[in-house]
Amino acid sequence: MADTDINRLKIVLVEKKRTAKWLAGELGKDPATVSKWCTNKAQPAIETFRKIAETLDVDVKDLLCSTK
């Protein structure tokens, strides 16, 4: 199950024409941390998902892979 992508962050960034480095700057996070989120090697905290959604102007559900 570790191979399963939990978030769609990389896809949403491409759709919004933004980079992980830009998002890191907006959130005040280390670019390496955001890179790990984009590759699903790590996951942001639930509160951070909300901040990411607000920053990218998307619903938080758009950042997650559907379970159905």
Side-chain angles (χ1 to χ4, degrees), residues 1-13 20 31-45 49 52 62-66:
M1 190 93 170
D3 295 335
T4 304
D5 288 349
I6 296 172
N7 75 60
R8 299 179 63 249
L9 184 52
K10 187 175 185 177
I11 296 164
V12 174
L13 283 170
T33 299
V34 176
S35 177
K36 287 178 186 175
W37 297 344
C38 289
T39 58
N40 276 281
K41 288 184 172 37
Q43 298 302 325
F49 268 117
I52 294 167
D62 294 336
L63 297 174
L64 301 172
C65 292
S66 177

Side-chain angles (χ1 to χ4, degrees), residues 9 12-13 16 18-20 22-29 34 37 43-64:
L9 184 52
V12 174
L13 283 170
K16 293 289 185 172
R18 297 291 186 179
T19 65
W22 172 85
L23 183 61
E26 291 294 304
L27 298 175
K29 299 285 184 184
V34 176
W37 297 344
Q43 298 302 325
I46 295 295
E47 302 82 26
T48 306
F49 268 117
R50 178 177 287 201
K51 290 178 188 169
I52 294 167
E54 289 172 1
T55 301
L56 293 172
D57 193 29
V58 296
D59 190 297
V60 73
K61 291 183 285 188
D62 294 336
L63 297 174
L64 301 172

